[in-house]
């Protein structure tokens, strides 16, 4: 698979088959992903791979926390800006509207939205879930490095015939994640990553987000 094919075929999947992903496959993906670029070769990322009963236990613990209003956070960073400008806010709202339209969840259906939100913490049915962390002493540049690593990992998954869904939602439940996976306090829970064999026939997986034109975000300076 060419890199461009991996990029164009990658999009966030929200329904997975329960077919297990062999541990050796996940290890191979991480083994290649470790060559992702990082400033000064710091390689600041750390990955916790939850499989089998460990994955089920993590999911159950978070869902229980939701149901019992357990103190699960707060997230240690703002996933979104506190104030959106118009353009970026419209993009965010459109993808949400498009997803819930596909799911036949009308605006104002709080129960329907909550049901879909809960699926995040089951990794959308994927048999394996990863949690990406970074030492809290690292700087902004190392957060960029971690994003490069995550993007590399997702593209390599496509090469392997797998799909993924990056999930910032796990940051909101960092206390539970930390407890269940024995993540030390000196690490920030950045996000989760569902990884597995997607059920491409399922409706949520038909969502293809719109992207801005090159002219909307690029400035070519020649003189």
């Amino acid at each position: 698979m060419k890199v461009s094919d991996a990029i164009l075929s990658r999009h966030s999947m929200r329904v997975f088959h329960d077919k297990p992903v062999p541990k050796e496959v996940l290890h191979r993906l991480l083994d290649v992903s470790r060559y992702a670029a990082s400033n000064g070769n710091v390689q600041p990322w750390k990955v916790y791979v939850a499989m089998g009963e460990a994955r089920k236990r993590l999911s159950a613990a978070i869902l229980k926390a939701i149901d019992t209003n357990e103190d699960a956070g707060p997230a240690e960073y703002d996933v979104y800006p506190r104030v959106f400008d118009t353009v970026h806010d419209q993009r965010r709202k459109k993808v949400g509207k498009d997803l819930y339209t596909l799911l036949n969840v009308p605006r104002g259906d709080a129960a329907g939205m909550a049901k879909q939100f809960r699926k995040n913490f089951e990794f959308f049915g994927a048999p394996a879930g990863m949690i990406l962390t970074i030492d809290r002493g690292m700087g902004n540049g190392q957060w960029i490095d971690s994003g490069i690593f995550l993007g590399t990992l997702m593209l390599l998954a496509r090469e392997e015939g797998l799909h993924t869904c990056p999930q910032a939602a796990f940051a909101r439940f960092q206390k539970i994640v930390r407890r269940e996976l024995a993540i030390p306090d000196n690490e920030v829970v950045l996000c989760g990553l569902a990884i597995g064999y997607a059920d491409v026939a399922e409706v949520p997986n038909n969502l293809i987000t719109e992207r801005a034109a090159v002219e909307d975000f690029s400035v070519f300076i020649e003189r």
Side-chain angles (χ1 to χ4, degrees):
M1 180 181 287
K2 296 191 299 183
V3 176
S4 57
D5 291 334
I7 293 170
L8 293 174
S9 66
R10 187 221 66 80
H11 60 275
S12 295
M13 293 293 194
R14 293 177 175 86
V15 182
F16 288 84
H17 294 293
D18 59 5
K19 176 183 176 182
V21 180
K23 182 178 178 180
E24 56 269 25
V25 171
L26 297 175
H27 187 281
R28 181 165 64 247
L29 293 176
L30 293 169
D31 189 38
V32 180
S33 296
R34 65 195 175 101
Y35 289 93
S38 63
N39 192 18
N41 198 33
V42 170
Q43 306 169 61
W45 48 79
K46 190 166 182 179
V47 181
Y48 294 81
V49 185
M51 306 171 62
E53 291 304 313
R55 206 284 286 163
K56 294 177 183 177
R57 185 181 70 247
L58 173 60
S59 296
I62 294 177
L63 293 178
K64 181 181 178 181
I66 294 173
D67 292 338
T68 61
N69 294 316
E70 180 181 347
D71 180 16
E76 297 177 294
Y77 67 97
D78 292 327
V79 172
Y80 288 121
R82 296 182 180 181
V83 178
F84 269 105
D85 62 39
T86 301
V87 171
H88 296 97
D89 193 38
Q90 287 176 342
R91 291 175 184 168
R92 178 181 64 92
K93 288 178 178 176
K94 185 178 189 308
V95 71
K97 179 181 178 181
D98 290 348
L99 173 61
Y100 286 113
T101 298
L102 281 174
L103 294 170
N104 290 318
V105 177
R107 183 177 181 180
D109 183 356
M113 292 181 180
K115 181 179 179 181
Q116 180 62 26
F117 178 68
R118 289 171 65 92
K119 293 179 181 180
N120 270 285
F121 306 109
E122 297 174 308
F123 293 96
F124 297 111
M130 299 185 181
I131 299 294
L132 180 66
T133 73
I134 187 172
D135 189 286
R136 66 178 66 257
M138 292 294 178
N140 293 343
Q142 287 72 59
W143 285 55
I144 294 172
D145 296 339
S146 297
I148 295 172
F149 169 83
L150 183 64
T152 300
L153 176 59
M154 289 190 290
L155 295 182
L156 287 168
R158 289 299 303 121
E159 182 183 76
E160 195 69 41
L162 300 169
H163 276 286
T164 57
C165 184
Q167 299 168 277
F170 279 94
R172 294 174 55 176
F173 291 84
Q174 54 92 5
K175 286 186 178 180
I176 311 299
V177 175
R178 194 180 302 283
R179 181 189 71 207
E180 295 299 323
L181 300 184
I183 298 174
D185 289 339
N186 66 297
E187 295 176 25
V188 176
V189 175
L190 292 178
C191 67
L193 182 73
I195 183 166
Y197 300 96
D199 188 342
V200 296
E202 286 290 330
V203 169
N205 293 339
N206 295 327
L207 176 64
I208 305 297
T209 54
E210 296 179 1
R211 300 304 167 107
V214 171
E215 292 74 18
D216 290 339
F217 62 85
S218 303
V219 178
F220 290 84
I221 304 168
E222 300 183 63
R223 301 180 66 179

